[in-house]
Amino acid sequence: MATILSPSALLSATAAAAAVVPKPPQSPVPHMIKFQPTNIIPAAPTKLKPPQTNNLTAAAAAAAIIVSISSPPPYSIAAAAAAADSQVSPYHVYYGTAASAANYGGYGGNSSKKDSAEYIYEVPDGWKERLVSKVEKGTNGTDSEFYNPKKRSEKEYLTFLAGFRQLAPKDVVLNNLALSDVELQDLIASADKLISEERKDDDNGGQVYYEYEIDGAAGRAHSLISVTCANNKLYAHFVNAPAPEWDKDQDMLRHLHQSFKTVNGSYN
């Protein structure tokens, strides 16, 4: 027999059923994390760097400047020769013609001496030429003479005699030169020391030169003489100086003595 339930009963039952339905589990509410404010240091402004190619270009330019300043220029033979030529010599060359008195061009000599030179020797810059007269040339054979204007007895000069094909013995040659030179006679007579030797010029066919060095007594004077034969003539080159000038200028005076030589034909 069916049981009739009243509405109230149904409601009670429904409510009871609802009461027993389990609730879904609830997720725990996460705790909120609170951030504490900190002191924030602002970033420094960024500087823009120039492109790398500019740095390389600047570095290359700087290196080129350093190299150009510190490195010597490349060696040049032409430049070296020009520098050598530019050096000023304290001497100049005299060209002697050894012309006879009859052909002598008067006071001052010939105008084209270099083309017709028979001998040469060097003269210090600043020395003066003493003009030789025809009479002097005809009597003792003096062809040229230069002197130091500060001390006229410091000088060099050349004499020549025609008609000599070869040199006589050294002592004979010196005595013959003294016959026409009073100063040389006195110097030889009072000499403390006299040295003579023979020298050959291998660059000029072995031409023979007699070299004399005379030291006067008590420091009176000093003389260097060079004698040779060429062109059928005897040439004698003299370098004389008082003792004080010799002591002071010895190297220069010896240079003058060694610079004398004869030349064959025109001098080039």
Side-chain angles (χ1 to χ4, degrees):
M1 196 174 173
T3 303
I4 300 173
L5 297 177
S6 62
S8 60
L10 289 172
L11 292 174
S12 299
T14 303
V20 297
V21 175
K23 294 181 179 180
Q26 295 180 355
S27 299
V29 178
H31 296 284
M32 297 298 292
I33 299 176
K34 295 183 179 180
F35 293 95
Q36 298 294 330
T38 58
N39 296 328
I40 299 175
I41 301 173
T46 304
K47 294 182 179 180
L48 296 178
K49 295 183 178 181
Q52 186 68 20
T53 55
N54 292 343
N55 289 339
L56 294 177
T57 303
I65 293 173
I66 293 174
V67 170
S68 64
I69 294 175
S70 60
S71 300
Y75 179 78
S76 170
I77 296 178
D85 292 340
S86 65
Q87 295 180 355
V88 179
S89 171
Y91 309 97
H92 62 273
V93 177
Y94 175 78
Y95 302 91
T97 59
S100 65
N103 297 326
Y104 187 54
Y107 291 89
N110 301 322
S111 58
S112 58
K113 289 184 176 181
K114 184 173 182 180
D115 295 335
S116 57
E118 293 186 7
Y119 66 88
I120 61 172
Y121 59 79
E122 294 187 15
V123 180
D125 290 341
W127 279 31
K128 303 297 183 181
E129 181 177 7
R130 184 180 71 84
L131 301 182
V132 180
S133 68
K134 287 185 177 182
V135 175
E136 188 176 3
K137 179 182 283 287
T139 54
N140 59 17
T142 301
D143 191 63
S144 58
E145 181 175 321
F146 290 83
Y147 63 91
N148 182 353
K150 298 179 180 179
K151 188 71 174 180
R152 292 184 67 97
S153 55
E154 185 177 22
K155 60 185 178 179
E156 67 175 322
Y157 60 96
L158 184 133
T159 64
F160 77 96
L161 297 172
F164 288 82
R165 294 184 177 274
Q166 62 183 10
L167 291 171
K170 289 191 290 292
D171 57 341
V172 174
V173 168
L174 185 61
N175 289 331
N176 287 340
L177 291 175
L179 292 177
S180 58
D181 191 328
V182 177
E183 291 183 4
L184 181 58
Q185 292 178 18
D186 294 341
L187 188 61
I188 294 174
S190 61
D192 282 343
K193 181 175 64 175
L194 193 158
I195 301 173
S196 63
E197 60 184 12
E198 182 177 311
R199 173 178 65 86
K200 288 187 177 181
D201 184 2
D202 295 331
D203 295 333
N204 194 18
Q207 183 173 337
V208 176
Y209 289 77
Y210 288 168
E211 309 282 356
Y212 303 92
E213 181 171 352
I214 306 173
D215 188 5
R220 287 181 54 191
H222 208 97
S223 182
L224 301 173
I225 308 171
S226 182
V227 184
T228 190
C229 279
N231 307 315
N232 201 30
K233 297 175 183 177
L234 183 144
Y235 303 88
H237 178 254
F238 298 81
V239 177
N240 296 343
E245 279 68 33
W246 171 258
D247 294 337
K248 181 180 63 175
D249 301 331
Q250 180 177 160
D251 292 342
M252 180 267 289
L253 296 171
R254 290 191 182 279
H255 176 84
L256 303 183
H257 171 66
Q258 295 168 359
S259 69
F260 164 68
K261 67 177 182 178
T262 61
V263 293
N264 296 323
S266 61
Y267 181 76
N268 296 317

